[in-house]
Amino acid sequence: MTQLRILATGFSAFPRAPVNPTEVLMDLLAQARPDLGEGVDLRTLVLPVEYARAPRLLSEFARDFRPEIAVHFGLADTARGFRLESTARNRSSMVAADAAGLLPEQARICAGPATLRSALPLDDIAAALAAEGLPVQRSANAGAYLCNHLFYLSRSGTLGQFGPAMSGFVHVPFLDEQLGRIEPARARRLFSMSRDDLVRGATTILRVCAGTYRGLA
């Protein structure tokens, strides 16, 4: 069977999240080496929450590993489970600075249409997560920060050799263990998830993507 290359990415810390659950997730996936089917090569990558560096590092990574599938994970404190993003917008915030204290050079992310759609099998992913008893949401707005920025670039085909046929974005909430370090009034409004459920859900998402891609190939 032909090898299938899958990349999962997360983000490192940023001002509102001194520990990013998606960075923890990448480490857990690397340790767990989940079974995604025969011939699947899964790699993980943690990207900085920086407009300049994150796209460059993703492009550089693709020189040696060119994934057919890329699933990007990011934190949203409004997420109440695995929030499947359907739409990337060609616009970034010119107000919210990144982890390096910088803003994007311009609001428009790159040359391209106003929106690009996720190529992940969102209906099948939602059904599989629900069957696992895991919370799942659907969203058509990935925000205006680095999550949407990376999502759009991943779908745009403008990152050099990085051009997965199937890519998209999933937001996740904070980890249970993080709520105790967050200001109590804010923490009471937040949804959270255990490490086990985070890994189980991410594995489910990756497995569905792999199966769908193989079925289409």
Side-chain angles (χ1 to χ4, degrees):
M1 181 177 288
T2 304
Q3 187 179 68
L4 174 60
R5 298 180 297 275
I6 301 179
L7 174 66
T9 74
F11 281 112
S12 59
F14 62 101
R16 286 175 61 81
V19 176
N20 195 317
T22 64
E23 181 171 13
V24 175
L25 174 60
M26 293 307 106
D27 184 54
L28 293 172
L29 286 173
Q31 292 179 40
R33 302 178 65 85
D35 180 11
L36 303 179
E38 184 181 352
V40 174
D41 184 3
L42 172 66
R43 306 284 179 92
T44 60
L45 179 65
V46 176
L47 297 167
V49 183
E50 298 181 29
Y51 286 108
R53 291 181 61 215
R56 184 173 70 247
L57 291 174
L58 190 59
S59 179
E60 290 172 354
F61 187 85
R63 293 175 188 170
D64 297 319
F65 186 75
R66 300 185 191 180
E68 285 90 10
I69 299 171
V71 182
H72 307 291
F73 293 89
L75 168 67
D77 60 9
T78 54
R80 304 191 68 79
F82 292 92
R83 196 164 81 192
L84 312 180
E85 301 294 347
S86 67
T87 309
R89 287 174 167 75
N90 194 0
R91 189 170 184 83
S92 289
S93 170
M94 296 300 290
V95 176
D98 66 13
L102 302 176
L103 295 170
E105 293 182 0
Q106 59 183 16
R108 190 183 189 205
I109 296 172
C110 65
T115 62
L116 290 170
R117 300 282 293 176
S118 172
L120 303 184
L122 299 182
D123 290 342
D124 290 343
I125 290 171
L129 289 170
E132 288 286 331
L134 294 166
V136 58
Q137 294 177 296
R138 302 291 288 267
S139 167
N141 186 352
Y145 198 46
L146 262 295
C147 293
N148 175 75
H149 192 90
L150 184 74
F151 181 14
Y152 190 91
L153 287 173
S154 180
R155 297 295 304 130
S156 70
T158 62
L159 290 179
Q161 297 179 66
F162 181 78
M166 179 185 288
S167 71
F169 202 95
V170 179
H171 272 119
V172 301
F174 283 102
L175 291 166
D176 292 342
E177 65 205 56
Q178 293 181 269
L179 294 190
R181 303 174 222 164
I182 296 172
E183 190 271 322
R186 182 186 174 207
R188 284 193 292 271
R189 299 192 300 269
L190 298 176
F191 186 90
S192 64
M193 187 176 292
S194 70
R195 288 187 175 214
D196 286 347
D197 281 353
L198 187 63
V199 172
R200 188 159 59 95
T203 300
T204 298
I205 292 167
L206 295 169
R207 186 178 294 127
V208 170
C209 291
T212 299
Y213 186 90
R214 282 262 164 84
L216 297 173

